[in-house]
mmCIF file of all heavy atoms in Angstrom:
data_model
loop_
_atom_site.group_PDB
_atom_site.id
_atom_site.type_symbol
_atom_site.label_atom_id
_atom_site.label_comp_id
_atom_site.label_asym_id
_atom_site.label_seq_id
_atom_site.Cartn_x
_atom_site.Cartn_y
_atom_site.Cartn_z
ATOM 1 N N GLN A 7 -2.650 14.696 -35.829
ATOM 2 C CA GLN A 7 -1.578 13.967 -35.144
ATOM 3 C C GLN A 7 -1.973 13.612 -33.715
ATOM 4 O O GLN A 7 -1.537 12.588 -33.194
ATOM 5 C CB GLN A 7 -0.252 14.731 -35.178
ATOM 6 C CG GLN A 7 -0.255 16.064 -34.478
ATOM 7 C CD GLN A 7 -0.589 17.210 -35.399
ATOM 8 O OE1 GLN A 7 -1.192 17.025 -36.446
ATOM 9 N NE2 GLN A 7 -0.202 18.405 -35.028
ATOM 10 N N ASP A 8 -2.790 14.425 -33.065
ATOM 11 C CA ASP A 8 -3.271 14.089 -31.727
ATOM 12 C C ASP A 8 -4.233 12.903 -31.780
ATOM 13 O O ASP A 8 -4.220 12.047 -30.908
ATOM 14 C CB ASP A 8 -3.970 15.283 -31.085
ATOM 15 C CG ASP A 8 -3.022 16.438 -30.831
ATOM 16 O OD1 ASP A 8 -1.795 16.205 -30.780
ATOM 17 O OD2 ASP A 8 -3.509 17.565 -30.688
ATOM 18 N N LEU A 9 -5.046 12.876 -32.801
ATOM 19 C CA LEU A 9 -6.004 11.785 -32.961
ATOM 20 C C LEU A 9 -5.302 10.467 -33.253
ATOM 21 O O LEU A 9 -5.681 9.424 -32.733
ATOM 22 C CB LEU A 9 -6.984 12.115 -34.090
ATOM 23 C CG LEU A 9 -8.072 11.099 -34.369
ATOM 24 C CD1 LEU A 9 -8.969 10.934 -33.160
ATOM 25 C CD2 LEU A 9 -8.879 11.521 -35.562
ATOM 26 N N ALA A 10 -4.261 10.509 -34.062
ATOM 27 C CA ALA A 10 -3.539 9.289 -34.417
ATOM 28 C C ALA A 10 -2.832 8.672 -33.213
ATOM 29 O O ALA A 10 -2.597 7.464 -33.185
ATOM 30 C CB ALA A 10 -2.539 9.577 -35.523
ATOM 31 N N SER A 11 -2.504 9.474 -32.210
ATOM 32 C CA SER A 11 -1.810 8.947 -31.027
ATOM 33 C C SER A 11 -2.763 8.459 -29.940
ATOM 34 O O SER A 11 -2.307 7.963 -28.916
ATOM 35 C CB SER A 11 -0.875 10.019 -30.466
ATOM 36 O OG SER A 11 -1.629 11.104 -29.975
ATOM 37 N N GLN A 12 -4.061 8.598 -30.140
ATOM 38 C CA GLN A 12 -5.055 8.166 -29.153
ATOM 39 C C GLN A 12 -5.272 6.656 -29.215
ATOM 40 O O GLN A 12 -5.090 6.031 -30.252
ATOM 41 C CB GLN A 12 -6.402 8.853 -29.431
ATOM 42 C CG GLN A 12 -6.410 10.338 -29.259
ATOM 43 C CD GLN A 12 -6.471 10.734 -27.806
ATOM 44 O OE1 GLN A 12 -7.225 10.175 -27.040
ATOM 45 N NE2 GLN A 12 -5.659 11.700 -27.434
ATOM 46 N N SER A 13 -5.698 6.094 -28.092
ATOM 47 C CA SER A 13 -6.142 4.699 -28.076
ATOM 48 C C SER A 13 -7.677 4.698 -28.095
ATOM 49 O O SER A 13 -8.313 5.737 -27.914
ATOM 50 C CB SER A 13 -5.624 3.979 -26.834
ATOM 51 O OG SER A 13 -6.285 4.454 -25.681
ATOM 52 N N ILE A 14 -8.253 3.527 -28.304
ATOM 53 C CA ILE A 14 -9.713 3.424 -28.359
ATOM 54 C C ILE A 14 -10.326 3.832 -27.024
ATOM 55 O O ILE A 14 -11.318 4.567 -26.977
ATOM 56 C CB ILE A 14 -10.135 2.005 -28.765
ATOM 57 C CG1 ILE A 14 -9.690 1.719 -30.196
ATOM 58 C CG2 ILE A 14 -11.638 1.809 -28.622
ATOM 59 C CD1 ILE A 14 -9.882 0.295 -30.645
ATOM 60 N N ASP A 15 -9.726 3.378 -25.926
ATOM 61 C CA ASP A 15 -10.240 3.735 -24.600
ATOM 62 C C ASP A 15 -10.127 5.234 -24.332
ATOM 63 O O ASP A 15 -11.019 5.823 -23.705
ATOM 64 C CB ASP A 15 -9.507 2.949 -23.517
ATOM 65 C CG ASP A 15 -9.817 1.465 -23.574
ATOM 66 O OD1 ASP A 15 -10.930 1.109 -24.022
ATOM 67 O OD2 ASP A 15 -8.953 0.662 -23.171
ATOM 68 N N ASP A 16 -9.052 5.859 -24.809
ATOM 69 C CA ASP A 16 -8.908 7.309 -24.655
ATOM 70 C C ASP A 16 -10.002 8.056 -25.413
ATOM 71 O O ASP A 16 -10.537 9.050 -24.925
ATOM 72 C CB ASP A 16 -7.538 7.781 -25.158
ATOM 73 C CG ASP A 16 -6.391 7.286 -24.296
ATOM 74 O OD1 ASP A 16 -6.633 6.923 -23.135
ATOM 75 O OD2 ASP A 16 -5.254 7.257 -24.814
ATOM 76 N N MET A 17 -10.306 7.582 -26.616
ATOM 77 C CA MET A 17 -11.365 8.213 -27.416
ATOM 78 C C MET A 17 -12.716 8.113 -26.713
ATOM 79 O O MET A 17 -13.456 9.099 -26.638
ATOM 80 C CB MET A 17 -11.471 7.553 -28.787
ATOM 81 C CG MET A 17 -10.348 7.875 -29.735
ATOM 82 S SD MET A 17 -10.415 9.550 -30.358
ATOM 83 C CE MET A 17 -11.877 9.470 -31.344
ATOM 84 N N ILE A 18 -13.030 6.946 -26.197
ATOM 85 C CA ILE A 18 -14.326 6.759 -25.530
ATOM 86 C C ILE A 18 -14.398 7.604 -24.265
ATOM 87 O O ILE A 18 -15.434 8.206 -23.970
ATOM 88 C CB ILE A 18 -14.571 5.262 -25.263
ATOM 89 C CG1 ILE A 18 -14.783 4.552 -26.605
ATOM 90 C CG2 ILE A 18 -15.762 5.058 -24.350
ATOM 91 C CD1 ILE A 18 -14.903 3.068 -26.530
ATOM 92 N N THR A 19 -13.288 7.697 -23.524
ATOM 93 C CA THR A 19 -13.252 8.553 -22.340
ATOM 94 C C THR A 19 -13.463 10.012 -22.729
ATOM 95 O O THR A 19 -14.188 10.744 -22.050
ATOM 96 C CB THR A 19 -11.901 8.390 -21.606
ATOM 97 O OG1 THR A 19 -11.717 7.015 -21.281
ATOM 98 C CG2 THR A 19 -11.861 9.225 -20.348
ATOM 99 N N THR A 20 -12.861 10.426 -23.812
ATOM 100 C CA THR A 20 -13.033 11.793 -24.303
ATOM 101 C C THR A 20 -14.482 12.045 -24.701
ATOM 102 O O THR A 20 -15.047 13.093 -24.381
ATOM 103 C CB THR A 20 -12.109 12.037 -25.515
ATOM 104 O OG1 THR A 20 -10.769 11.835 -25.108
ATOM 105 C CG2 THR A 20 -12.271 13.437 -26.064
ATOM 106 N N TRP A 21 -15.098 11.093 -25.388
ATOM 107 C CA TRP A 21 -16.491 11.244 -25.813
ATOM 108 C C TRP A 21 -17.440 11.272 -24.625
ATOM 109 O O TRP A 21 -18.465 11.927 -24.655
ATOM 110 C CB TRP A 21 -16.879 10.126 -26.763
ATOM 111 C CG TRP A 21 -16.236 10.213 -28.104
ATOM 112 C CD1 TRP A 21 -15.676 11.308 -28.684
ATOM 113 C CD2 TRP A 21 -16.082 9.154 -29.051
ATOM 114 N NE1 TRP A 21 -15.181 10.999 -29.920
ATOM 115 C CE2 TRP A 21 -15.421 9.689 -30.186
ATOM 116 C CE3 TRP A 21 -16.441 7.814 -29.061
ATOM 117 C CZ2 TRP A 21 -15.124 8.925 -31.302
ATOM 118 C CZ3 TRP A 21 -16.145 7.050 -30.176
ATOM 119 C CH2 TRP A 21 -15.489 7.607 -31.283
ATOM 120 N N ARG A 22 -17.098 10.555 -23.560
ATOM 121 C CA ARG A 22 -17.984 10.500 -22.384
ATOM 122 C C ARG A 22 -18.084 11.841 -21.682
ATOM 123 O O ARG A 22 -19.017 12.067 -20.920
ATOM 124 C CB ARG A 22 -17.515 9.425 -21.417
ATOM 125 C CG ARG A 22 -17.861 8.057 -21.936
ATOM 126 C CD ARG A 22 -18.165 7.097 -20.818
ATOM 127 N NE ARG A 22 -18.668 5.860 -21.424
ATOM 128 C CZ ARG A 22 -18.088 4.695 -21.287
ATOM 129 N NH1 ARG A 22 -17.011 4.573 -20.544
ATOM 130 N NH2 ARG A 22 -18.603 3.630 -21.865
ATOM 131 N N LYS A 23 -17.142 12.741 -21.900
ATOM 132 C CA LYS A 23 -17.238 14.095 -21.341
ATOM 133 C C LYS A 23 -18.443 14.829 -21.921
ATOM 134 O O LYS A 23 -19.009 15.706 -21.292
ATOM 135 C CB LYS A 23 -15.978 14.900 -21.653
ATOM 136 C CG LYS A 23 -14.740 14.404 -20.958
ATOM 137 C CD LYS A 23 -13.552 15.237 -21.384
ATOM 138 C CE LYS A 23 -12.260 14.668 -20.875
ATOM 139 N NZ LYS A 23 -11.094 15.423 -21.376
ATOM 140 N N HIS A 24 -18.814 14.464 -23.152
ATOM 141 C CA HIS A 24 -19.881 15.166 -23.857
ATOM 142 C C HIS A 24 -21.151 14.329 -24.030
ATOM 143 O O HIS A 24 -22.196 14.873 -24.343
ATOM 144 C CB HIS A 24 -19.392 15.601 -25.248
ATOM 145 C CG HIS A 24 -18.227 16.527 -25.186
ATOM 146 N ND1 HIS A 24 -18.361 17.864 -24.984
ATOM 147 C CD2 HIS A 24 -16.896 16.284 -25.264
ATOM 148 C CE1 HIS A 24 -17.166 18.427 -24.954
ATOM 149 N NE2 HIS A 24 -16.257 17.479 -25.126
ATOM 150 N N MET A 25 -21.028 13.009 -23.862
ATOM 151 C CA MET A 25 -22.156 12.117 -24.106
ATOM 152 C C MET A 25 -22.213 11.074 -22.992
ATOM 153 O O MET A 25 -21.178 10.618 -22.513
ATOM 154 C CB MET A 25 -21.994 11.400 -25.449
ATOM 155 C CG MET A 25 -21.839 12.325 -26.613
ATOM 156 S SD MET A 25 -21.405 11.454 -28.106
ATOM 157 C CE MET A 25 -22.876 10.510 -28.374
ATOM 158 N N SER A 26 -23.407 10.670 -22.618
ATOM 159 C CA SER A 26 -23.525 9.677 -21.553
ATOM 160 C C SER A 26 -23.303 8.254 -22.060
ATOM 161 O O SER A 26 -22.781 7.417 -21.346
ATOM 162 C CB SER A 26 -24.894 9.787 -20.888
ATOM 163 O OG SER A 26 -25.915 9.574 -21.839
ATOM 164 N N ARG A 27 -23.686 7.962 -23.294
ATOM 165 C CA ARG A 27 -23.567 6.614 -23.839
ATOM 166 C C ARG A 27 -22.608 6.603 -25.031
ATOM 167 O O ARG A 27 -22.995 6.320 -26.151
ATOM 168 C CB ARG A 27 -24.932 6.102 -24.265
ATOM 169 C CG ARG A 27 -25.903 5.976 -23.105
ATOM 170 C CD ARG A 27 -27.246 5.527 -23.560
ATOM 171 N NE ARG A 27 -27.135 4.230 -24.226
ATOM 172 C CZ ARG A 27 -28.096 3.693 -24.947
ATOM 173 N NH1 ARG A 27 -29.227 4.339 -25.119
ATOM 174 N NH2 ARG A 27 -27.933 2.528 -25.512
ATOM 175 N N ALA A 28 -21.349 6.865 -24.772
ATOM 176 C CA ALA A 28 -20.381 6.971 -25.854
ATOM 177 C C ALA A 28 -19.722 5.652 -26.198
ATOM 178 O O ALA A 28 -19.155 5.500 -27.256
ATOM 179 C CB ALA A 28 -19.305 7.984 -25.484
ATOM 180 N N GLY A 29 -19.760 4.682 -25.315
ATOM 181 C CA GLY A 29 -19.088 3.407 -25.547
ATOM 182 C C GLY A 29 -19.969 2.429 -26.297
ATOM 183 O O GLY A 29 -20.682 2.785 -27.219
ATOM 184 N N GLY A 30 -19.891 1.190 -25.899
ATOM 185 C CA GLY A 30 -20.663 0.153 -26.563
ATOM 186 C C GLY A 30 -19.949 -0.336 -27.806
ATOM 187 O O GLY A 30 -18.874 0.133 -28.164
ATOM 188 N N SER A 31 -20.557 -1.281 -28.471
ATOM 189 C CA SER A 31 -19.907 -1.858 -29.656
ATOM 190 C C SER A 31 -19.826 -0.848 -30.800
ATOM 191 O O SER A 31 -18.826 -0.789 -31.511
ATOM 192 C CB SER A 31 -20.642 -3.117 -30.109
ATOM 193 O OG SER A 31 -21.959 -2.803 -30.478
ATOM 194 N N THR A 32 -20.857 -0.056 -30.974
ATOM 195 C CA THR A 32 -20.844 0.941 -32.042
ATOM 196 C C THR A 32 -19.790 2.012 -31.781
ATOM 197 O O THR A 32 -19.048 2.392 -32.685
ATOM 198 C CB THR A 32 -22.227 1.604 -32.187
ATOM 199 O OG1 THR A 32 -23.200 0.589 -32.380
ATOM 200 C CG2 THR A 32 -22.260 2.565 -33.349
ATOM 201 N N GLY A 33 -19.700 2.495 -30.545
ATOM 202 C CA GLY A 33 -18.710 3.510 -30.205
ATOM 203 C C GLY A 33 -17.291 2.990 -30.331
ATOM 204 O O GLY A 33 -16.396 3.686 -30.809
ATOM 205 N N THR A 34 -17.082 1.743 -29.923
ATOM 206 C CA THR A 34 -15.761 1.140 -30.038
ATOM 207 C C THR A 34 -15.360 0.986 -31.501
ATOM 208 O O THR A 34 -14.226 1.279 -31.876
ATOM 209 C CB THR A 34 -15.732 -0.229 -29.328
ATOM 210 O OG1 THR A 34 -16.156 -0.056 -27.970
ATOM 211 C CG2 THR A 34 -14.358 -0.839 -29.347
ATOM 212 N N GLN A 35 -16.294 0.549 -32.326
ATOM 213 C CA GLN A 35 -16.017 0.413 -33.760
ATOM 214 C C GLN A 35 -15.724 1.766 -34.382
ATOM 215 O O GLN A 35 -14.802 1.906 -35.196
ATOM 216 C CB GLN A 35 -17.197 -0.239 -34.476
ATOM 217 C CG GLN A 35 -17.392 -1.695 -34.158
ATOM 218 C CD GLN A 35 -18.697 -2.234 -34.744
ATOM 219 O OE1 GLN A 35 -19.503 -1.490 -35.291
ATOM 220 N NE2 GLN A 35 -18.886 -3.542 -34.614
ATOM 221 N N LYS A 36 -16.509 2.765 -34.016
ATOM 222 C CA LYS A 36 -16.314 4.113 -34.571
ATOM 223 C C LYS A 36 -14.959 4.678 -34.142
ATOM 224 O O LYS A 36 -14.255 5.285 -34.943
ATOM 225 C CB LYS A 36 -17.451 5.025 -34.098
ATOM 226 C CG LYS A 36 -17.507 6.376 -34.752
ATOM 227 C CD LYS A 36 -17.818 6.331 -36.207
ATOM 228 C CE LYS A 36 -19.272 6.097 -36.467
ATOM 229 N NZ LYS A 36 -19.626 6.244 -37.880
ATOM 230 N N ALA A 37 -14.572 4.459 -32.887
ATOM 231 C CA ALA A 37 -13.277 4.946 -32.406
ATOM 232 C C ALA A 37 -12.137 4.246 -33.135
ATOM 233 O O ALA A 37 -11.171 4.898 -33.565
ATOM 234 C CB ALA A 37 -13.162 4.728 -30.896
ATOM 235 N N ALA A 38 -12.239 2.927 -33.294
ATOM 236 C CA ALA A 38 -11.181 2.178 -33.989
ATOM 237 C C ALA A 38 -11.069 2.625 -35.442
ATOM 238 O O ALA A 38 -9.960 2.811 -35.967
ATOM 239 C CB ALA A 38 -11.482 0.682 -33.918
ATOM 240 N N GLU A 39 -12.200 2.826 -36.097
ATOM 241 C CA GLU A 39 -12.198 3.273 -37.494
ATOM 242 C C GLU A 39 -11.589 4.672 -37.609
ATOM 243 O O GLU A 39 -10.786 4.942 -38.504
ATOM 244 C CB GLU A 39 -13.623 3.265 -38.033
ATOM 245 C CG GLU A 39 -13.748 3.683 -39.465
ATOM 246 C CD GLU A 39 -15.186 3.724 -39.943
ATOM 247 O OE1 GLU A 39 -16.106 3.426 -39.164
ATOM 248 O OE2 GLU A 39 -15.382 4.088 -41.118
ATOM 249 N N HIS A 40 -11.962 5.542 -36.685
ATOM 250 C CA HIS A 40 -11.482 6.918 -36.722
ATOM 251 C C HIS A 40 -9.971 6.980 -36.502
ATOM 252 O O HIS A 40 -9.261 7.708 -37.207
ATOM 253 C CB HIS A 40 -12.222 7.731 -35.664
ATOM 254 C CG HIS A 40 -12.215 9.199 -35.891
ATOM 255 N ND1 HIS A 40 -12.464 9.777 -37.111
ATOM 256 C CD2 HIS A 40 -11.977 10.229 -35.046
ATOM 257 C CE1 HIS A 40 -12.386 11.092 -37.005
ATOM 258 N NE2 HIS A 40 -12.087 11.377 -35.760
ATOM 259 N N ILE A 41 -9.464 6.215 -35.561
ATOM 260 C CA ILE A 41 -8.032 6.207 -35.277
ATOM 261 C C ILE A 41 -7.255 5.615 -36.451
ATOM 262 O O ILE A 41 -6.215 6.143 -36.851
ATOM 263 C CB ILE A 41 -7.749 5.450 -33.970
ATOM 264 C CG1 ILE A 41 -8.296 6.246 -32.786
ATOM 265 C CG2 ILE A 41 -6.257 5.193 -33.792
ATOM 266 C CD1 ILE A 41 -8.319 5.486 -31.482
#
């Protein structure tokens, strides 16, 4: 339920805490698919 309430930008910001290159087209697609 926490994941379903996230936006794509929130997901990428969350991933950037753990990874330096979390965004980009692949990261955006993965975040949108996951949500």
Side-chain angles (χ1 to χ4, degrees):
Q7 63 268 22
D8 295 340
L9 181 62
S11 66
Q12 295 282 316
S13 70
I14 294 172
D15 293 331
D16 292 340
M17 287 288 293
I18 292 174
T19 303
T20 300
W21 290 340
R22 285 213 172 119
K23 293 178 188 176
H24 299 277
M25 303 171 66
S26 59
R27 297 178 59 193
S31 62
T32 305
T34 305
Q35 290 172 354
K36 189 66 78 172
E39 181 183 0
H40 201 45
I41 291 169

